[in-house]
Amino acid sequence: MKSEQTTPHNLHDVFTPASADPSLNFVARGGTEDDLNHYLDTQGRPICVERPFRCGKTSLVLRSVRTRYKRIVHVVCNNATTFDELLSRALDELAPVVSLVVESKEIKTKPGFKGAFGVEVDLGGGSKETLETMTPVLQPQLTSASVARFMVEADAAWVIDDAHKLTEPEFRKVACAMREWQTMTFPGGYPKMIVVASDIGAPSATHRLIDGAPDLTTRLARLGLSLMSDSELSQIIKRGEDLLNIDLSAIHHSVLQYSFGFPGICHDLCLQACRAAKITRTADNKVTLNSAHLQQGLKKYVDEYAHSIKDSFEKVRDALSQSVSPAFYSYVLGKVASRSVGEGIGLKVLSSEVEANLGLSQEVVASGIQQFFSEDSGVLRFEPTTKVVLFREPLYRAFYIQQSAAESDEIEREELASAFLRVLSNEE
Amino acid sequence: MLTSLDKELSGVLRPLVELGAVIRVSQFPNSLCLGFHYLLAHGDGGRLPKEGVVPSGRIDLADWNFPRETLQRDKKHFNGIYLLYQPKGLAKNLCSQQMDSQSFFSSVPVTRFRPRYAFLLSTPESREVVSRSNGKLNKAVFDDLIARQVRVNFQTDVTEQAKELVGLLATGDQSERIRFVGAGWPIGTAVDDEQITLLYYGATITAYMRQNADIFLALEIDDSLVADSPAFETHVLWTVPRTLADRSGVVRQCISQYHELLFGASAERRSSHLFAATRAACNEVLGRFNPGIPHRVLANVDAFRTVLQDHHSSPN
């Protein structure tokens, strides 16, 4: 029987691991969402949202901004992005709504050709037609103040995403612009800037902003989005079940377990499990997924979608293979993974356990463990203050456990156990 | 992951699915096996059934120590076929008490439980007790303790069997200084000059205490001590409505055959791998429904098989 919903949906619209805007399957984030909305509505409060990679920051921000502004200028940074580029990209996005002149010229087009400003032009195969292109009346001055004015005129908010990737000088410019915007008002309102950044080492984006513009100390609204709870992740799974008319109950617990609180991973695992079950859109008759689908999906996720992390693990394994047996790699990672995310394991304890269990000398163990800490591709880190060894980031721990599960029968075991538990607790 | 043994065992139980039998299992590995394989028997070809295929209440846990309460709770199922694990004595009593004009009760012996060990928390006093008794639980231990005016607390999750054991080891006078204090896991009772706590548990906790010999000192229980005791002969008791009395033979055959196969497989070390799925499912339940029991005590397939092998022998 089909579920209550009547509109069929595509799988990729329901489980959206890479989309910053999961409109169909979005889970509200309670207090943080309320705070974000409050600060969006408050003049003079620029916003910085941070916390772990893939915890749903961008989705939350875009969703809230969309309810309050006509437009979102969403610019994603990388290591080479400069502040001037941020300004021009913002302007590019705003350009169609800034005063324009239109000139005509004759061109040859192909089907589906995209014109300036992303305007789709589909005029039939290779026909000779007229295309309107648009050019700004005046070349606007590329200053943060002028962008602020355009934003207000366009009823837009500026979301600077992945800001942690900016180099320090460029980050300082963002901080100064944020401070400048904080006091600005225009006839149409006040400009709003939201910086989104992941926690990748110290100092945090908030601290960097305040270092760059100390006046922000009391004005910057700092929001930390935590990883999702099991009940929040469960909502993603359940909504997916309803929208696609599928039954994920047999793998529900395992999906939660291997998502480690990351909504992006939860979407990904559900998506891959559905692909393994050949589900592409809402099913006519309910389809039940089992552990074999998740096992296949997890393997796919580990092999293909987490490839950059996988590369880091492979580099460590290759480096170690020169000096120690493969057991060293598994033993060390298994020990660190057995501790909770922030807990880690004391370096001394780890070293002595490896020495005792693998029968290796202190020197060999010390040099082997160092291979895990490589700055560019290491998978573990050493916390000098507490002298504890942790995974480089929570996602690395998640990956290691996911990879281990993908290569074992753990998921199937869990499916059997949870089915038995469900039957035994099935109240009449 | 499901093995040929799982398929065989669930296949044996298939006629019970067709009869719509309701099964109650206890919180012990051998009993949970029946529940798990009965679940599989509801699926196609011994595979895990889809969600909702097993009717609500068909398989459930029953407290081994409170059979009357369980039967009272489950009376509504007596209009169909209903099965429950119980020791021989209680099974026979219950059969005769519950039998009425509407229902027919019967039982079949499926295993003889071998208690193997009782334990003491490791303290200087208890080490002395173990040393004086050469590591055996026998009459001399009780004579020694009672002579020294020590009170004995019997902490157990198998009450009927514990009482039987005390009856076999202590005289009537001595019994007055022995008291049963329930399961009470994890243990908190101190051992001192005036009192000592004997820990006497079913297979799972016994396995855990054996694995932690630095905390728990084992006192061996000779099999011959309980060889003839009806409290250690485990039966599956069932009821069928009079109208279905002719099906009782089917139930008997399924249950007997199931346990013969189960314990037959557990007797072979090389069969350990066949218990992979059963261990995974049952161990999780042992941990979930007994939060006091250290989780995943039966850490691998061989540990699981060994528990079945060590604590069970043929009832005949």
Side-chain angles (χ1 to χ4, degrees):
Chain A
M1 217 176 96
K2 224 168 194 174
S3 61
E4 279 177 21
Q5 56 81 31
T6 49
T7 317
H9 299 285
N10 287 323
L11 171 66
H12 288 84
D13 295 333
V14 175
F15 293 122
T16 52
S19 167
D21 192 10
S23 53
L24 273 177
N25 195 354
F26 177 82
V27 173
R29 304 301 296 271
T32 310
E33 194 170 350
D34 293 343
D35 290 344
L36 175 61
N37 291 336
H38 165 71
Y39 290 122
L40 284 171
D41 293 340
T42 309
Q43 186 174 355
R45 297 303 300 267
I47 300 166
C48 177
V49 181
E50 56 186 339
R51 278 301 153 88
F53 179 56
R54 293 196 82 174
C55 75
K57 301 179 296 294
T58 306
S59 302
L60 175 67
V61 167
L62 295 186
R63 189 175 173 90
S64 285
V65 170
R66 179 165 294 110
T67 60
R68 284 161 168 75
Y69 292 85
K70 276 190 190 150
R71 295 171 62 90
I72 304 171
V73 176
H74 178 211
V75 187
V76 183
C77 306
N78 61 42
N79 297 336
T81 308
T82 63
F83 182 66
D84 286 344
E85 277 174 34
L86 288 177
L87 291 176
S88 35
R89 277 157 67 183
L91 201 62
D92 281 350
E93 291 207 28
L94 289 170
V97 292
V98 180
S99 305
L100 301 168
V101 290
V102 175
E103 62 180 34
S104 299
K105 66 176 181 181
E106 206 172 62
I107 57 157
K108 273 191 171 182
T109 62
K110 288 181 178 176
F113 172 76
K114 263 192 175 177
F117 307 111
V119 179
E120 183 97 3
V121 184
D122 189 355
L123 302 168
S127 60
K128 204 181 209 185
E129 296 290 346
T130 298
L131 172 73
E132 288 184 339
T133 57
M134 296 173 283
T135 308
V137 178
L138 298 168
Q139 283 299 326
Q141 288 295 308
L142 276 180
T143 64
S144 73
S146 58
V147 170
R149 183 167 58 80
F150 293 142
M151 291 275 181
V152 172
E153 282 174 6
D155 191 15
W158 195 13
V159 178
I160 302 176
D161 205 346
D162 276 356
H164 59 276
K165 292 180 180 168
L166 293 171
T167 59
E168 205 48 47
E170 302 308 319
F171 202 95
R172 281 178 176 272
K173 290 176 191 168
V174 171
C176 292
M178 188 177 249
R179 172 67 184 92
E180 189 183 10
W181 281 33
Q182 188 253 319
T183 49
M184 282 181 168
T185 49
F186 298 97
Y190 51 88
K192 185 62 81 175
M193 184 190 294
I194 304 112
V195 163
V196 180
S198 294
D199 273 347
I200 300 198
S204 69
T206 302
H207 283 117
R208 290 171 73 191
L209 286 170
I210 291 169
D211 279 353
D215 284 355
L216 287 173
T217 307
T218 54
R219 298 171 172 106
L220 181 65
R222 308 156 206 189
L223 297 174
L225 192 61
S226 58
L227 293 174
M228 276 191 172
S229 66
D230 277 359
S231 73
E232 287 172 322
L233 290 175
S234 288
Q235 290 180 52
I236 295 176
I237 300 171
K238 285 191 160 55
R239 283 185 193 181
E241 285 180 310
D242 290 343
L243 291 165
L244 292 169
N245 194 27
I246 56 176
D247 178 359
L248 299 175
S249 57
I251 60 170
H252 187 122
H253 177 73
S254 296
V255 171
L256 293 183
Q257 182 176 347
Y258 295 113
S259 296
F260 296 93
F262 291 97
I265 297 181
C266 183
H267 274 272
D268 226 336
L269 294 182
C270 292
L271 176 75
Q272 299 305 338
C274 286
R275 287 184 64 207
K278 311 277 184 229
I279 292 162
T280 54
R281 64 204 307 274
T282 304
D284 289 334
N285 297 305
K286 186 162 266 192
V287 178
T288 301
L289 274 71
N290 59 34
S291 60
H293 298 124
L294 181 60
Q295 182 88 27
Q296 221 176 312
L298 185 59
K299 200 161 181 343
K300 194 99 176 156
Y301 168 77
V302 162
D303 285 347
E304 295 178 15
Y305 296 87
H307 51 79
S308 61
I309 299 178
K310 189 182 176 195
D311 285 350
S312 299
F313 278 92
E314 281 174 1
K315 278 183 189 161
V316 171
R317 183 151 41 189
D318 289 348
L320 280 170
S321 66
Q322 314 291 323
S323 53
V324 287
S325 73
F328 188 96
Y329 169 87
S330 312
Y331 191 88
V332 169
L333 291 177
K335 276 283 160 195
V336 184
S338 69
R339 306 297 176 99
S340 59
V341 176
E343 184 191 11
I345 181 169
L347 181 58
K348 271 191 176 173
V349 175
L350 178 65
S351 304
S352 57
E353 285 193 18
V354 178
E355 285 165 38
N357 284 285
L358 301 183
L360 297 170
S361 71
Q362 199 176 350
E363 292 71 30
V364 170
V365 171
S367 113
I369 289 179
Q370 278 304 317
Q371 303 281 355
F372 290 91
F373 300 149
S374 151
E375 198 169 319
D376 56 338
S377 61
V379 297
L380 300 179
R381 66 187 166 90
F382 176 63
E383 190 63 57
T385 47
T386 53
K387 304 203 182 312
V388 153
V389 178
L390 304 121
F391 274 93
R392 181 174 173 157
E393 289 170 35
L395 265 183
Y396 281 65
R397 179 177 179 273
F399 176 85
Y400 177 71
I401 296 172
Q402 289 160 343
Q403 191 180 40
S404 305
E407 290 165 0
S408 72
D409 56 8
E410 198 174 313
I411 293 175
E412 199 178 348
R413 285 205 306 267
E414 279 162 11
E415 184 192 21
L416 291 170
S418 76
F420 193 24
L421 278 165
R422 271 201 308 277
V423 162
L424 291 175
S425 32
N426 199 356
E427 287 176 12
E428 292 169 86
Chain B
M1 182 180 208
L2 291 172
T3 65
S4 54
L5 181 65
D6 295 316
K7 288 186 180 154
E8 200 174 359
L9 289 168
S10 59
V12 166
L13 299 174
R14 187 75 204 166
L16 296 181
V17 176
E18 283 154 18
L19 292 172
V22 167
I23 286 186
R24 296 292 174 256
V25 294
S26 306
Q27 63 274 30
F28 306 115
N30 67 304
S31 183
L32 287 173
C33 287
L34 177 69
F36 175 61
H37 291 121
Y38 191 46
L39 164 67
L40 295 181
H42 286 75
D44 291 334
R47 285 190 291 272
L48 205 55
K50 288 182 178 170
E51 181 88 358
V53 166
V54 181
S56 173
R58 179 157 293 186
I59 310 170
D60 203 352
L61 279 174
D63 194 319
W64 174 255
N65 296 312
F66 298 98
R68 287 190 172 79
E69 286 78 353
T70 302
L71 288 173
Q72 191 61 34
R73 181 194 72 184
D74 285 344
K75 257 190 165 167
K76 56 184 173 291
H77 293 296
F78 290 3
N79 58 355
I81 295 173
Y82 172 89
L83 296 90
L84 174 77
Y85 277 97
Q86 271 308 298
K88 180 181 179 180
L90 269 173
K92 293 289 175 200
N93 280 343
L94 290 169
C95 282
S96 56
Q97 284 167 17
Q98 302 282 340
M99 190 110 60
D100 57 27
S101 57
Q102 302 300 313
S103 309
F104 172 80
F105 278 75
S106 190
S107 78
V108 62
V110 291
T111 176
R112 172 159 283 281
F113 178 63
R114 302 169 67 203
R116 307 297 306 273
Y117 304 98
F119 296 85
L120 293 168
L121 265 181
S122 180
T123 65
E125 292 86 355
S126 59
R127 281 195 284 275
E128 271 183 42
V129 172
V130 173
S131 167
R132 280 198 298 273
S133 68
N134 292 322
K136 308 269 188 202
L137 183 68
N138 49 31
K139 284 178 189 285
V141 172
F142 283 90
D143 291 344
D144 175 43
L145 291 171
I146 305 294
R148 291 191 293 114
Q149 301 290 305
V150 175
R151 196 175 68 238
V152 180
N153 300 315
F154 230 88
Q155 202 160 298
T156 183
D157 66 349
V158 281
T159 315
E160 196 63 26
Q161 290 66 34
K163 286 180 177 165
E164 180 78 2
L165 198 60
V166 168
L168 293 165
L169 290 171
T171 62
D173 293 349
Q174 289 173 337
S175 301
E176 288 172 10
R177 293 195 63 79
I178 299 170
R179 63 179 185 142
F180 296 92
V181 291
W185 188 269
I187 354 130
T189 313
V191 181
D192 53 37
D193 286 342
E194 294 180 355
Q195 61 177 335
I196 199 160
T197 301
L198 263 172
L199 307 166
Y200 174 66
Y201 283 84
T204 315
I205 295 185
T206 295
Y208 172 75
M209 290 192 281
R210 287 283 287 161
Q211 287 164 14
N212 291 277
D214 52 333
I215 305 172
F216 305 102
L217 304 176
L219 287 165
E220 205 175 329
I221 302 169
D222 198 295
D223 278 347
S224 62
L225 184 69
V226 297
D228 299 322
S229 166
F232 290 87
E233 185 176 302
T234 304
H235 281 227
V236 169
L237 156 78
W238 67 91
T239 171
V240 292
R242 292 275 174 192
T243 51
L244 293 173
D246 60 328
R247 307 296 161 90
S248 188
V250 176
V251 177
R252 180 181 297 276
Q253 191 185 346
C254 288
I255 292 299
S256 298
Q257 198 183 345
Y258 175 85
H259 288 88
E260 277 166 28
L261 275 171
L262 178 74
F263 292 121
S266 73
E268 304 265 353
R269 189 187 170 88
R270 64 176 177 218
S271 304
S272 291
H273 66 284
L274 298 175
F275 288 91
T278 312
R279 185 205 76 86
C282 296
N283 208 30
E284 197 66 29
V285 173
L286 286 168
R288 198 71 66 92
F289 283 90
N290 301 277
I293 294 178
H295 196 35
R296 296 177 195 276
V297 54
L298 305 174
N300 55 55
V301 285
D302 199 49
F304 188 82
R305 182 201 60 78
T306 305
V307 155
L308 294 180
Q309 181 189 31
D310 282 358
H311 290 276
H312 297 276
S313 63
S314 167
N316 304 311

